PDB file of all heavy atoms in Angstrom:
ATOM      1  N   ARG A 120      29.008  24.752  36.572  1.00 96.00           N
ATOM      2  CA  ARG A 120      28.156  25.578  35.711  1.00 96.00           C
ATOM      3  C   ARG A 120      28.138  24.931  34.335  1.00 96.00           C
ATOM      4  O   ARG A 120      29.171  24.908  33.653  1.00 96.00           O
ATOM      5  CB  ARG A 120      28.733  26.990  35.607  1.00 96.00           C
ATOM      6  CG  ARG A 120      28.440  27.845  36.812  1.00 96.00           C
ATOM      7  CD  ARG A 120      28.875  29.282  36.568  1.00 96.00           C
ATOM      8  NE  ARG A 120      28.323  30.117  37.629  1.00 96.00           N
ATOM      9  CZ  ARG A 120      27.232  30.875  37.492  1.00 96.00           C
ATOM     10  NH1 ARG A 120      26.601  30.925  36.338  1.00 96.00           N
ATOM     11  NH2 ARG A 120      26.774  31.573  38.491  1.00 96.00           N
ATOM     12  N   ILE A 254      17.418  30.543  39.501  1.00 97.00           N
ATOM     13  CA  ILE A 254      17.411  31.635  40.501  1.00 97.00           C
ATOM     14  C   ILE A 254      18.275  31.209  41.686  1.00 97.00           C
ATOM     15  O   ILE A 254      19.078  31.982  42.212  1.00 97.00           O
ATOM     16  CB  ILE A 254      15.967  31.971  40.952  1.00 97.00           C
ATOM     17  CG1 ILE A 254      15.150  32.503  39.767  1.00 97.00           C
ATOM     18  CG2 ILE A 254      15.977  32.983  42.109  1.00 97.00           C
ATOM     19  CD1 ILE A 254      13.718  32.874  40.108  1.00 97.00           C
ATOM     20  N   GLY A 256      20.538  28.850  41.338  1.00 96.00           N
ATOM     21  CA  GLY A 256      21.864  28.693  40.728  1.00 96.00           C
ATOM     22  C   GLY A 256      22.643  29.999  40.728  1.00 96.00           C
ATOM     23  O   GLY A 256      23.870  30.012  40.782  1.00 96.00           O
ATOM     24  N   GLU A 257      21.931  31.108  40.671  1.00 96.00           N
ATOM     25  CA  GLU A 257      22.589  32.433  40.667  1.00 96.00           C
ATOM     26  C   GLU A 257      22.630  33.038  42.063  1.00 96.00           C
ATOM     27  O   GLU A 257      22.852  34.234  42.225  1.00 96.00           O
ATOM     28  CB  GLU A 257      21.868  33.387  39.695  1.00 96.00           C
ATOM     29  CG  GLU A 257      21.884  32.933  38.239  1.00 96.00           C
ATOM     30  CD  GLU A 257      23.286  32.882  37.610  1.00 96.00           C
ATOM     31  OE1 GLU A 257      24.248  33.361  38.237  1.00 96.00           O
ATOM     32  OE2 GLU A 257      23.399  32.322  36.500  1.00 96.00           O
ATOM     33  N   GLY A 258      22.364  32.222  43.091  1.00 97.00           N
ATOM     34  CA  GLY A 258      22.562  32.694  44.466  1.00 97.00           C
ATOM     35  C   GLY A 258      21.303  32.916  45.285  1.00 97.00           C
ATOM     36  O   GLY A 258      21.380  33.406  46.408  1.00 97.00           O
ATOM     37  N   GLY A 259      20.128  32.563  44.745  1.00 98.00           N
ATOM     38  CA  GLY A 259      18.884  32.729  45.511  1.00 98.00           C
ATOM     39  C   GLY A 259      18.819  31.786  46.712  1.00 98.00           C
ATOM     40  O   GLY A 259      19.348  30.679  46.666  1.00 98.00           O
ATOM     41  N   ASP A 304      14.343  33.936  47.697  1.00 98.00           N
ATOM     42  CA  ASP A 304      14.788  35.331  47.758  1.00 98.00           C
ATOM     43  C   ASP A 304      16.093  35.531  46.997  1.00 98.00           C
ATOM     44  O   ASP A 304      17.095  34.878  47.282  1.00 98.00           O
ATOM     45  CB  ASP A 304      14.993  35.715  49.234  1.00 98.00           C
ATOM     46  CG  ASP A 304      15.163  37.220  49.401  1.00 98.00           C
ATOM     47  OD1 ASP A 304      15.050  37.938  48.384  1.00 98.00           O
ATOM     48  OD2 ASP A 304      15.404  37.653  50.539  1.00 98.00           O
ATOM     49  N   ILE A 305      16.045  36.411  46.000  1.00 98.00           N
ATOM     50  CA  ILE A 305      17.287  36.780  45.294  1.00 98.00           C
ATOM     51  C   ILE A 305      17.454  38.301  45.326  1.00 98.00           C
ATOM     52  O   ILE A 305      18.291  38.875  44.622  1.00 98.00           O
ATOM     53  CB  ILE A 305      17.300  36.219  43.853  1.00 98.00           C
ATOM     54  CG1 ILE A 305      18.680  36.370  43.230  1.00 98.00           C
ATOM     55  CG2 ILE A 305      16.198  36.830  42.970  1.00 98.00           C
ATOM     56  CD1 ILE A 305      18.994  35.543  42.035  1.00 98.00           C
ATOM     57  N   SER A 306      16.693  38.953  46.180  1.00 98.00           N
ATOM     58  CA  SER A 306      16.680  40.425  46.183  1.00 98.00           C
ATOM     59  C   SER A 306      18.000  41.017  46.692  1.00 98.00           C
ATOM     60  O   SER A 306      18.213  42.226  46.578  1.00 98.00           O
ATOM     61  CB  SER A 306      15.502  40.945  47.007  1.00 98.00           C
ATOM     62  OG  SER A 306      15.641  40.530  48.339  1.00 98.00           O
ATOM     63  N   HIS A 307      18.891  40.147  47.236  1.00 98.00           N
ATOM     64  CA  HIS A 307      20.199  40.659  47.665  1.00 98.00           C
ATOM     65  C   HIS A 307      21.117  40.912  46.459  1.00 98.00           C
ATOM     66  O   HIS A 307      22.165  41.526  46.593  1.00 98.00           O
ATOM     67  CB  HIS A 307      20.871  39.682  48.646  1.00 98.00           C
ATOM     68  CG  HIS A 307      20.839  38.252  48.186  1.00 98.00           C
ATOM     69  ND1 HIS A 307      19.730  37.452  48.348  1.00 98.00           N
ATOM     70  CD2 HIS A 307      21.749  37.491  47.543  1.00 98.00           C
ATOM     71  CE1 HIS A 307      19.968  36.254  47.842  1.00 98.00           C
ATOM     72  NE2 HIS A 307      21.186  36.254  47.349  1.00 98.00           N
ATOM     73  N   LYS A 308      20.732  40.403  45.257  1.00 98.00           N
ATOM     74  CA  LYS A 308      21.523  40.682  44.041  1.00 98.00           C
ATOM     75  C   LYS A 308      21.084  42.036  43.469  1.00 98.00           C
ATOM     76  O   LYS A 308      19.978  42.514  43.755  1.00 98.00           O
ATOM     77  CB  LYS A 308      21.266  39.594  43.008  1.00 98.00           C
ATOM     78  CG  LYS A 308      21.813  38.244  43.402  1.00 98.00           C
ATOM     79  CD  LYS A 308      23.257  38.154  42.958  1.00 98.00           C
ATOM     80  CE  LYS A 308      23.827  36.787  43.239  1.00 98.00           C
ATOM     81  NZ  LYS A 308      25.159  36.637  42.704  1.00 98.00           N
ATOM     82  N   SER A 309      21.928  42.600  42.594  1.00 98.00           N
ATOM     83  CA  SER A 309      21.594  43.940  42.082  1.00 98.00           C
ATOM     84  C   SER A 309      20.364  43.885  41.185  1.00 98.00           C
ATOM     85  O   SER A 309      20.099  42.866  40.516  1.00 98.00           O
ATOM     86  CB  SER A 309      22.774  44.513  41.303  1.00 98.00           C
ATOM     87  OG  SER A 309      22.812  43.925  40.017  1.00 98.00           O
ATOM     88  N   LYS A 310      19.644  44.981  41.173  1.00 98.00           N
ATOM     89  CA  LYS A 310      18.444  45.088  40.355  1.00 98.00           C
ATOM     90  C   LYS A 310      18.787  44.830  38.882  1.00 98.00           C
ATOM     91  O   LYS A 310      18.083  44.106  38.169  1.00 98.00           O
ATOM     92  CB  LYS A 310      17.856  46.490  40.532  1.00 98.00           C
ATOM     93  CG  LYS A 310      16.570  46.698  39.782  1.00 98.00           C
ATOM     94  CD  LYS A 310      15.938  48.020  40.169  1.00 98.00           C
ATOM     95  CE  LYS A 310      14.633  48.161  39.401  1.00 98.00           C
ATOM     96  NZ  LYS A 310      13.776  49.175  39.843  1.00 98.00           N
ATOM     97  N   GLN A 311      19.902  45.404  38.447  1.00 97.00           N
ATOM     98  CA  GLN A 311      20.295  45.274  37.041  1.00 97.00           C
ATOM     99  C   GLN A 311      20.544  43.804  36.687  1.00 97.00           C
ATOM    100  O   GLN A 311      20.090  43.303  35.649  1.00 97.00           O
ATOM    101  CB  GLN A 311      21.557  46.097  36.794  1.00 97.00           C
ATOM    102  CG  GLN A 311      21.904  46.170  35.324  1.00 97.00           C
ATOM    103  CD  GLN A 311      23.301  46.746  35.095  1.00 97.00           C
ATOM    104  OE1 GLN A 311      23.967  47.184  36.039  1.00 97.00           O
ATOM    105  NE2 GLN A 311      23.745  46.729  33.856  1.00 97.00           N
ATOM    106  N   PHE A 312      21.247  43.100  37.586  1.00 97.00           N
ATOM    107  CA  PHE A 312      21.530  41.679  37.322  1.00 97.00           C
ATOM    108  C   PHE A 312      20.219  40.897  37.206  1.00 97.00           C
ATOM    109  O   PHE A 312      20.023  40.123  36.267  1.00 97.00           O
ATOM    110  CB  PHE A 312      22.403  41.097  38.453  1.00 97.00           C
ATOM    111  CG  PHE A 312      22.560  39.609  38.343  1.00 97.00           C
ATOM    112  CD1 PHE A 312      23.446  39.058  37.424  1.00 97.00           C
ATOM    113  CD2 PHE A 312      21.787  38.738  39.124  1.00 97.00           C
ATOM    114  CE1 PHE A 312      23.571  37.672  37.292  1.00 97.00           C
ATOM    115  CE2 PHE A 312      21.895  37.365  39.000  1.00 97.00           C
ATOM    116  CZ  PHE A 312      22.796  36.828  38.087  1.00 97.00           C
ATOM    117  N   ILE A 313      19.317  41.103  38.144  1.00 98.00           N
ATOM    118  CA  ILE A 313      18.064  40.332  38.143  1.00 98.00           C
ATOM    119  C   ILE A 313      17.253  40.635  36.881  1.00 98.00           C
ATOM    120  O   ILE A 313      16.748  39.724  36.219  1.00 98.00           O
ATOM    121  CB  ILE A 313      17.238  40.633  39.421  1.00 98.00           C
ATOM    122  CG1 ILE A 313      18.004  40.164  40.660  1.00 98.00           C
ATOM    123  CG2 ILE A 313      15.863  39.957  39.354  1.00 98.00           C
ATOM    124  CD1 ILE A 313      17.404  40.599  41.975  1.00 98.00           C
ATOM    125  N   PHE A 317      16.835  37.489  34.478  1.00 98.00           N
ATOM    126  CA  PHE A 317      15.493  36.874  34.554  1.00 98.00           C
ATOM    127  C   PHE A 317      14.415  37.853  34.061  1.00 98.00           C
ATOM    128  O   PHE A 317      13.460  38.162  34.788  1.00 98.00           O
ATOM    129  CB  PHE A 317      15.194  36.442  36.006  1.00 98.00           C
ATOM    130  CG  PHE A 317      16.217  35.499  36.570  1.00 98.00           C
ATOM    131  CD1 PHE A 317      17.122  35.913  37.542  1.00 98.00           C
ATOM    132  CD2 PHE A 317      16.297  34.192  36.113  1.00 98.00           C
ATOM    133  CE1 PHE A 317      18.087  35.042  38.049  1.00 98.00           C
ATOM    134  CE2 PHE A 317      17.265  33.311  36.610  1.00 98.00           C
ATOM    135  CZ  PHE A 317      18.163  33.744  37.577  1.00 98.00           C
ATOM    136  N   MET A 331      10.611  41.168  42.351  1.00 98.00           N
ATOM    137  CA  MET A 331      11.622  40.222  42.845  1.00 98.00           C
ATOM    138  C   MET A 331      12.985  40.887  43.070  1.00 98.00           C
ATOM    139  O   MET A 331      13.869  40.284  43.681  1.00 98.00           O
ATOM    140  CB  MET A 331      11.753  39.000  41.933  1.00 98.00           C
ATOM    141  CG  MET A 331      12.286  39.272  40.553  1.00 98.00           C
ATOM    142  SD  MET A 331      12.108  37.834  39.445  1.00 98.00           S
ATOM    143  CE  MET A 331      13.521  36.844  39.905  1.00 98.00           C
ATOM    144  N   THR A 332      13.154  42.110  42.617  1.00 98.00           N
ATOM    145  CA  THR A 332      14.416  42.801  42.908  1.00 98.00           C
ATOM    146  C   THR A 332      14.390  43.385  44.325  1.00 98.00           C
ATOM    147  O   THR A 332      15.424  43.769  44.861  1.00 98.00           O
ATOM    148  CB  THR A 332      14.692  43.945  41.899  1.00 98.00           C
ATOM    149  OG1 THR A 332      13.693  44.954  42.085  1.00 98.00           O
ATOM    150  CG2 THR A 332      14.680  43.461  40.471  1.00 98.00           C
ATOM    151  N   LYS A 333      13.181  43.457  44.903  1.00 98.00           N
ATOM    152  CA  LYS A 333      13.058  44.095  46.222  1.00 98.00           C
ATOM    153  C   LYS A 333      12.530  43.162  47.295  1.00 98.00           C
ATOM    154  O   LYS A 333      12.704  43.390  48.476  1.00 98.00           O
ATOM    155  CB  LYS A 333      12.076  45.269  46.130  1.00 98.00           C
ATOM    156  CG  LYS A 333      12.531  46.385  45.236  1.00 98.00           C
ATOM    157  CD  LYS A 333      11.733  47.642  45.560  1.00 98.00           C
ATOM    158  CE  LYS A 333      12.138  48.779  44.655  1.00 98.00           C
ATOM    159  NZ  LYS A 333      11.040  49.274  43.858  1.00 98.00           N
TER     160      LYS A 333
END
Side-chain angles (χ1 to χ4, degrees):
R120 282 188 168 260
I254 296 181
E257 298 296 351
D304 192 4
I305 191 162
S306 62
H307 47 279
K308 292 273 184 174
S309 78
K310 183 171 181 167
Q311 188 191 354
F312 172 78
I313 296 171
F317 303 108
M331 66 191 278
T332 66
K333 296 198 181 120

